[in-house]
Amino acid sequence: MGTSHPESTGPGQPRPPVTLLESFSPYGSRKVTVEYDGLTTAAYLHDDTSAISATWIANHRPAPQSTDQARLDAGRAPLMPATRTRHPAGRPPPQAEALEALWFEEGDGVAILEHGRPLAVIAGWSDMDRGMPGYSSDVIGQTPFGWSLDDAMEGLAPRLERSRAYWRWRQSANGWGQFQQALLGHLLPRLGPGGHYWDASAGSQPLTGVTERPSGPHRPYTILSTVGMSCQRMPVVEQVLDDPSGYARIELAIATTLPSAQAARVFLWLATYPWRAVTWFGPGHSVRWYHEPSTFPLGGGEGYGSVLLLDSPGSLPGPEPPDLSGFAVGGDPVRWLWIVPISERDRQLAKEHGSASLVSRLAEQQRSWIVGPQPQGAEWEKGLRPGEI
């Protein structure tokens, strides 16, 4: 379904399209518009450059018996055939003041509400190129231009209610503070007292910070962890995993002997990345640094320019990693992924042969999961062990 374009008006002719609703996702990576051209209303989900999915919403004149191919060829939203709409005689156009957008927690999908009731939904998995349009309350069955919202509400209704409850909590006066204190409290007995705390999101959604847990007598390296990534589910996970609950919420961590302020710069890039790029981070994923390798804060001068994310870093040499499990948000367990800097050659190896092959190679090279200059010999024996703090 193409975005409609103005054409001359007249009896039975479309008008130049009017935008009834425009809303950006809380993370700024998606935009939804609802457009009315006198004959039809349709919703479009946009990324930075174009409409990536759409759904027909309603006809505003008697429905034809078949699809008007000329409208499609002109890049216009179609008039839904009479057998596929609940209002074959047409319905009045929606009023702009009655419409609102309810974004999914992940920010990759959105519901259009009319007087608070679902009118249409464009989910994160909706994709016109794959023959999966959005859902509309006026559609009967499945068509190339929209699927029945009523038929999908058994699955979507709980999702929409969770989204509504999530944003109500997230935008409340105490929501962020409650989450932040709970996560910091979880880390305290596992990593010891905090040092510095940095903002990693410049005040934009999703809010994220970085907490420093300095080295000490029992640990000759510092641990930095994000605070806030798990406050919202990542996009896309449910599209690639049958059960996303164990992977949808993460925090990132790094163990390092580098200066904390230097190493923490990596989180300015990574902490909000999944929501900016509408993607996800999982165990074994690798990500390339966005700028010149020489600016990479974790050893650009050593040839590193990417990161490998591991949930079991103990497969690499070094002391036993701390166990950070046991924290949950919204019923989902939070998974900590540890950052290990790698070269572009390493990243290509992981891409071609899998992350397990790369981990084996790094282990053979005696690459530690601790980032930075390595303490020698017995100094590692002072590394954190369960119950030592």
Side-chain angles (χ1 to χ4, degrees):
M1 187 190 313
T3 304
S4 52
H5 303 283
E7 66 178 51
S8 59
T9 60
Q13 292 293 325
R15 306 172 185 176
V18 175
T19 299
L20 301 179
L21 175 71
E22 180 180 81
S23 174
F24 288 86
S25 80
Y27 314 121
S29 53
R30 291 287 185 264
K31 178 181 74 171
V32 67
T33 59
V34 177
E35 297 183 1
Y36 161 69
D37 71 358
L39 297 186
T40 63
T41 297
Y44 301 89
L45 187 65
H46 305 256
D47 61 12
D48 289 340
T49 59
S50 62
I52 56 175
S53 192
T55 185
W56 170 92
I57 289 179
N59 291 346
H60 308 302
R61 57 164 288 179
Q65 294 305 307
S66 60
T67 302
D68 183 348
Q69 188 62 42
R71 280 183 62 87
L72 291 176
D73 292 343
R76 292 187 173 280
L79 282 160
M80 188 64 70
T83 57
R84 293 299 193 175
T85 172
R86 297 185 184 279
H87 301 281
R91 57 156 282 182
Q95 299 301 302
E97 60 272 16
L99 300 179
E100 62 177 310
L102 173 62
W103 287 93
F104 288 10
E105 176 182 342
E106 299 86 343
D108 59 350
V110 62
I112 307 300
L113 309 181
E114 183 180 33
H115 297 295
R117 297 172 61 86
L119 177 66
V121 174
I122 304 180
W125 56 85
S126 298
D127 186 338
M128 294 294 294
D129 290 340
R130 294 190 295 152
M132 298 175 65
Y135 304 85
S136 169
S137 61
D138 280 8
V139 171
I140 296 173
Q142 294 186 358
T143 82
F145 319 116
W147 289 358
S148 169
L149 181 58
D150 287 356
D151 291 349
M153 279 303 284
E154 182 178 355
L156 285 175
R159 178 65 169 270
L160 299 185
E161 187 51 43
R162 286 198 305 270
S163 297
R164 198 190 306 269
Y166 173 77
W167 291 114
R168 187 165 51 241
W169 168 77
R170 192 67 181 81
Q171 294 164 359
S172 68
N174 300 320
W176 168 246
Q178 289 173 346
F179 169 86
Q180 192 179 41
Q181 291 307 309
L183 183 50
L184 292 173
H186 172 79
L187 294 177
L188 179 61
R190 292 162 176 81
L191 299 179
H196 289 90
Y197 185 91
W198 295 275
D199 174 24
S201 56
S204 300
Q205 293 286 358
L207 294 180
T208 50
V210 179
T211 180
E212 176 194 37
R213 305 294 157 140
S215 59
H218 296 294
R219 188 177 64 225
Y221 56 90
T222 293
I223 293 179
L224 305 173
S225 171
T226 58
V227 177
M229 293 183 72
S230 64
C231 195
Q232 52 283 307
R233 283 182 154 216
M234 290 181 292
V236 180
V237 185
E238 64 187 348
Q239 299 172 40
V240 295
L241 299 176
D242 292 334
D243 182 8
S245 61
Y247 296 85
R249 298 186 191 273
I250 65 160
E251 298 288 347
L252 298 178
I254 187 170
T256 185
T257 59
L258 296 170
S260 294
Q262 173 186 335
R265 287 173 45 215
V266 77
F267 296 112
L268 299 178
W269 163 52
L270 288 174
T272 61
Y273 189 104
W275 298 272
R276 288 197 322 269
V278 191
T279 188
W280 70 295
F281 289 158
H285 287 192
S286 56
V287 192
R288 183 166 53 187
W289 177 242
Y290 74 98
H291 201 29
E292 293 295 327
S294 61
T295 67
F296 185 58
L298 303 180
E302 300 173 38
Y304 301 141
S306 300
V307 297
L308 177 67
L309 305 178
L310 299 176
D311 62 347
S312 300
S315 52
L316 294 177
E320 184 177 348
D323 181 4
L324 302 184
S325 63
F327 189 68
V329 178
D332 298 327
V334 175
R335 184 183 297 263
W336 263 263
L337 299 179
W338 294 82
I339 295 172
V340 176
I342 58 175
S343 67
E344 177 60 18
R345 181 182 176 188
D346 292 334
R347 193 181 74 86
Q348 289 298 326
L349 174 65
K351 186 176 179 180
E352 294 172 10
H353 301 287
S355 59
S357 295
L358 174 57
V359 170
S360 296
R361 175 180 170 181
L362 296 178
E364 291 171 359
Q365 296 172 350
Q366 291 299 300
R367 276 284 309 280
S368 174
W369 64 280
I370 309 296
V371 179
Q374 305 291 298
Q376 298 299 314
E379 288 190 70
W380 274 142
E381 298 305 315
K382 301 176 183 178
L384 185 67
R385 293 292 188 270
E388 284 190 343
I389 289 182

